[in-house]
Amino acid sequence: MQVHNSGDAIVIGGGIASTGYLAIGALTVDLRGPQEPARWPHQVGVIPPAARSFQPRAEASRLRAALGGAGQVVLSGMGGVGKTQLAADYARTAWSDTGDTGGLDVLVWANAGSRDALVAAYAQAGVELCAADPHDPERAAQRFVAWLAPKAGGVVCRWLVVIDDLATPGDLYGLRPPHSPTGRTVITTRRRDDALSGDGRRLLPVGLFGEGEAVGYLSTAVRADAYCCADALVALAADLGHLPLALSQAAAYINDTRQSVAAYRALLAEGALALATAVPEPDALPDEQAKPLAAAWKLSVDRADTLRPTGLARPLLQLTALLAPDGIPHTVLTSQPALDYLAGHRAAGGGTSRSRRVWRRAPSPEGPGPVQAAEVELALTVLHQLSLIDYVPATGHQTVRVHQLIQRATRDTLTPAQHHQTARAAADALTAAWPDIERDSALALALRANTTALTACAGEALYDPDTHEVLYRMGRSIGESGHASTARTYFEHLATATMRRFGPRHGDTLDARHHLARWRGESGDPAAAANAFAALLPDRIRVLGAGHPDTLATRINQHRWRGEAGAPAAAADGFAALLPDLRGVLGPDHPYTHAARHNLAYWHGRMQQPAKAADSFAELAEDLTRALGPDAPHTLAVRHNHAYWLAQSGELDAALAAFTQLVQDRSRVLGPDSPHTLATRHNLAHWRAEAGDLPAAAAAFTELLEDQTRLLGPDHPLTRSTQEQLAYWQHQADHRR
């Protein structure tokens, strides 16, 4: 017994001290003996109640199959996927089973949000089942763990221990239930560290609802008058990413506010509601849930930021929150702009978590140092281990996946200034990761998907202080992948956006108009392109001056599309007059000078001078090889035109040899899926047919048609052109027989 505030005590010569005074009204001494162990069957802890409209899931069947009569299973998944409900359903079923093989003698439900919580739950079990001392929780917990171990000749006990919401594998050290032929252990956690599996434990991933499960849940959870048809529930389920926690809280919000599903979806889509306010109040959450949706992942993010590399997880998650949820290329997140952003936003200090304590080192007086790509990869691994992202390096250009609601919750934590800065950094990272030559069509597709996602949530950030380069790069990528009509539509929107924000004479508006004019022509309307460039030219001169490279580029395109619109002589005359200006202002080896020479040679060919065109292209190819190298895209384009005009001038053998070599070179440099590579293959097949080798031509057109259908679709103009060529030459072959 300890007594406080009882006065001074004096000791002389090693005697016994007495306090100065001690006032005791009444003293009661509890002389109860040790508590008797509870009789079986016995339950320790409370199983969470079943969720309303609980959906049977495939994971429940897999859990039962994995455990059988004994075993250990770890249910792992992101916050909100329903791990606890699956474990609770299994526990209730096992507890109510009275069969000899399926029933339980002891069930322990332990909340494990921290090691202290887990020790407390185990200690309670030790007190109730083993008569352990309640005043020594650590020893009581250890006694319970020892009690679970099978003992030779001992009484057989069929037990189930559920460890719910394990925060970290380290919290299980010394507390892991032993393997037993009559014992079962279920652990739920957001973690997926290697330490959780192995040694007889099975890691069972728990994912999102399927569409049928999500709609089935909503159809019973949402009041009937809130939706008009099943399609509304399908759409709402998709908006919420089929996440069970989100579905339950959204259903409760709709029911409580008496809104319709359509109205709720509109609020979410318009951003009128932050995710934190799109659910019921904390004290009105359904199914006794502890946290609202937006807070479901906060502890995981806080934990991730303390793990090595410290301070990187949160800014990295913020960067991914503005990109495509279904796949972010690794190269975007390890690009130099991304590394710079992470270095600037790395949390001051940081630390390594050990058990229950966190040490933090003082920030360097020089500020945070640079971030290396290897640190980003480690931070991605940390976020993956905590189920905040899916990070699978082997998946190529969709290395990182993030649930759309985790993205939304992360964006909601950003101030307007932070959101703006993060959006610009994400755009910088995409631009840096975008290759000049899109050899890999899958990478280009992933970059376009990420730019689309960024554009949808960046707001005005991509236009402040100016139109970000990634928006122009996006449109060019669409067009250069063979989808000229889509590129035209894209630049129509971009030109409208820049006009509205900056006015008609701003450089960004002029650039958008330039791109729009080009893709009008590429999509089959050369007259509209020529007129658009003619209208753009005086504005370029007024804003930039007659000798500015952008003004000269507009003149080049004006002449080109005038020729395509049916005036080849005017085009040739225009380029002949423009060349001296280009040489004088930009020099003989400037790309625009080369482009003008290219166009002049082409229009000579179109004016029934194929031999002159072939000679001009041969000369230009030599100059470009010297200036740019043999593999430069412009060099390859000139070689293509040289081969074409050789064929037009009757030199078929030389043309076929040139096309054959060019197919190999373009495939190597630009990639086999490049529209330029496909165009060269088309020309090679055509001139083989013209040379009389119809079987080889038919085989080449057949193979080309398969690739164009796969890449461009069956209705694309180039695909249809190949279909027509194949049919024509097959008919010619049949006629010759």
Side-chain angles (χ1 to χ4, degrees), residues 43 107 188 252 385 422 574:
Q43 176 179 329
L107 187 154
T188 74
Q385 288 174 339
T422 305

Side-chain angles (χ1 to χ4, degrees), residues 11 85 109 111 320 426 468 670 677 717:
V11 176
Q85 280 294 317
W109 185 280
N111 295 314
T320 65
H468 199 282
L670 305 179
T677 304

Side-chain angles (χ1 to χ4, degrees), residues 246-276:
L247 297 172
S248 66
Q249 295 189 7
Y253 184 92
I254 290 170
N255 292 339
D256 289 345
T257 60
R258 308 300 296 173
Q259 287 191 359
S260 68
V261 167
Y264 182 78
R265 292 187 63 222
L267 288 174
L268 284 179
E270 295 168 2
L273 285 180
L275 199 59

Side-chain angles (χ1 to χ4, degrees), residues 455-545:
T455 304
C457 63
E460 293 296 304
L462 298 185
Y463 296 94
D464 181 16
D466 53 19
T467 307
H468 199 282
E469 169 59 24
V470 77
L471 297 178
Y472 298 104
R473 188 68 188 88
M474 168 80 162
R476 294 198 305 273
S477 179
I478 294 170
E480 290 164 4
S481 68
H483 298 87
S485 295
T486 306
R488 178 196 63 209
T489 302
Y490 175 89
F491 278 113
E492 285 174 349
H493 291 302
L494 186 60
T496 300
T498 53
M499 178 76 77
R500 183 174 66 252
R501 289 170 173 84
F502 303 116
R505 296 182 181 178
H506 191 277
D508 292 357
T509 306
L510 300 181
D511 287 345
R513 288 172 58 193
H514 181 104
H515 288 294
L516 173 57
R518 175 196 171 183
W519 292 107
R520 279 176 174 164
E522 298 284 4
S523 62
D525 194 349
N531 292 336
F533 279 115
L536 178 61
L537 183 58
D539 291 336
R540 287 282 206 200
I541 294 172
R542 185 180 303 110
V543 174
L544 302 174

Side-chain angles (χ1 to χ4, degrees), residues 571-595:
D573 291 343
F575 280 113
L578 179 58
L579 260 174
D581 292 343
L582 292 169
R583 288 192 175 105
V585 175
L586 303 177
D589 287 331
H590 192 278
Y592 290 171
T593 306
H594 292 150

